[in-house]
Amino acid sequence: MDREQTQSFIRTAEADLERARGSLLLVSQNSDMSDIGVPRQIIARVKDAALQNGQFVIASLAVECGQALEQLTSPTEAYKVLDVVARIEASLLDIPLHSADFLSDVSDFVDSSFDGILPPTESIDNVFSEFEIDEETFEVFKSEAEELLRNINNSLRTLEDSPADQNALWEVRRSSHTLKGAAGIVGLAEASETAHKMEDLLDKLVELKREAAQPIVQFLETSTKKLHSIVEAKQFDDESDLETQYLAAMDALGSAVTSAQTTALSAPDSAESADTTRPVHKPIVRVSLERLDELMQISHELMTNRETLAEGFANLLEGDSADKETITKLESLFETAYRLNGDLNEKLMQIRMVKFGTLETRLSRAVNMTCMDECKKAVFELENGDAEIDTLIIDSIVEPLLHLLKNAVVHGIETPETRRLIGKNERGTVSVKVETNETEIRIQVTDDGRGVSVQKLKAKAIANHIIDEGRALSMTDREAFELMFDRGLTTATKIDLNAGRGVGMSIVKESVENRGGLVVVESEPQRGTAFTILLPIVATQSKSEPAPFFEQTEEMPTILIVDDSASIRHQTQKLVEAAGFKCLTANNGADALELLLNGDFELDLILSDIEMPQIDGWQLLEYIKTDENLGHIPVVLITSLAADEHSRRAFDLGAADYIVKPLTSEALETVTEKFLSEVVA
């Protein structure tokens, strides 16, 4: 084995063993055996790598370590396994001693070792930055808060008449949760605390399966009035009464509420209904003079082109209808009009675009404020903040991003003590990366924290009756990550202003899907977690390649999208249409077959999910490929099933291709070039 290969093996093994040691230390510290699977996987990987590289001493020690892990019955015994891990690490250090160039490596090795153990020199005074909330940001918050309070008031009126209305309860709970976070971001701690009390009360109400008794509704109404006062910077004079109402509401939760108690604790309905006539927030876009000048120039060219076109028509009518010169001139004018319309549309789209970096202060503040609340340390990083995004998308994505950032700190980043214990820098990193192309926006929120424990997610979901044990055993890690988006599911050990992933994560999913997007989760124990938000955008045709006017009526290939998820259908449809193809959709295999058998459409390609009600993707594929009239249509399966056995089954049944979700514009381009090239030609 050459020197470079040896060094690569050592570096990889050292990194793996560091993670294994960290996991074992956490097991011993937290008395939690649920994460013992992580070091098992790591040690098995080290053993295999050692055998492949001829390091038989390391392999033997890894086998011994694996046996010790299998015999581990309590967290206190983790130190026995740590001893074996230390012996493996010591043996790794011995490997260079047997190499001929050992002496030349000693100096670098010592330097790097001391670099690793030196304490960080950064002053604690620089842990958090001070932020000044600008007027525009606060106005955005006020507009958002007014809408949330209006939603709360409307739902409270519903609860007065129907105390058991679950939709109304959820709306108050959701709006309170959102307002809590928004108020915290702009520094309104009192408003954030008040909204949290409302949310906490409703959490207990749902947990106890109680109706919203009058004392509870009254407290919620008074709290809403207080929030109105804070947002509008007005005096609120009922602080003592609010505390009394809070205690009465908690009493109503703690015991069966009789009619006498309701009469004694209730007060006349004095809640002020929200002013429904107030205008909702509308995004404001600042337009540069340069872009306005460009629009004026294009508009002037369009007017000139229209006049010339009218003149050409007049000459055509007066002269010989077979005048080829006039027809050629008109063709040129039509193409020019097409180009100018494309230019105008592009410039109009640019006016709506703003740099994503305008959110940096607000996002960074979310991370820093949450760190202060949680007694943790983390830095915020923004990558590609110069990327320009439609202002409406910016407005819609802010709240989901704030939820993700706060949850990254609460659930991801470990305490400084724990990070030091497992060999990490005591200050974590939370980052946002933005990427855009012609068809989609990709926003990724990552942290370098503890990662998501699949075992804990499944256990919590079983305890909350979301899944049963049989389903938990059959779930892939990717499917298990989806559990965190279920309403009410939280992995937090305490509920405070920042915790409660169940509510926040469901809001993230709902907000993204409402725009036709989706959220993808990736996580690795001890390495961290990444949430990727994919949002579709409508692309305009490149102005450098205008389609000739007389070729615009050409028939484009038709693609059928089959998926039981409305949001995924919508997103895929956007990608397909943006690529210039016709598009049909079906909710499941049964709808797709009905459409196919009607014979009203000639399909050129089918993109189908697998897991669907009534008729699934397997059955749909098998039917199509055994039907003499339909068998020629290529069927591409797009699914979250990533196992090799599933892709083999797909190709055995006749699938043209097999793609693991999400479908990207690049993957769609590859598929269409492969299966539609003859149709387009």
Side-chain angles (χ1 to χ4, degrees), residues 82 199 248 286 313 339 357 402 436 453 468 497 539 589 649 673:
L82 283 167
E199 180 192 13
R286 294 185 176 89
F313 268 120
R339 176 184 59 79
L402 293 176
T436 63
S453 171
D468 56 28
L497 283 174
R649 180 183 178 186
E673 285 182 355

Side-chain angles (χ1 to χ4, degrees), residues 3 96-110:
R3 177 187 178 190
L97 293 174
H98 304 289
S99 64
D101 48 7
F102 165 69
L103 289 177
S104 64
D105 290 342
V106 169
S107 177
D108 291 340
F109 175 76
V110 171

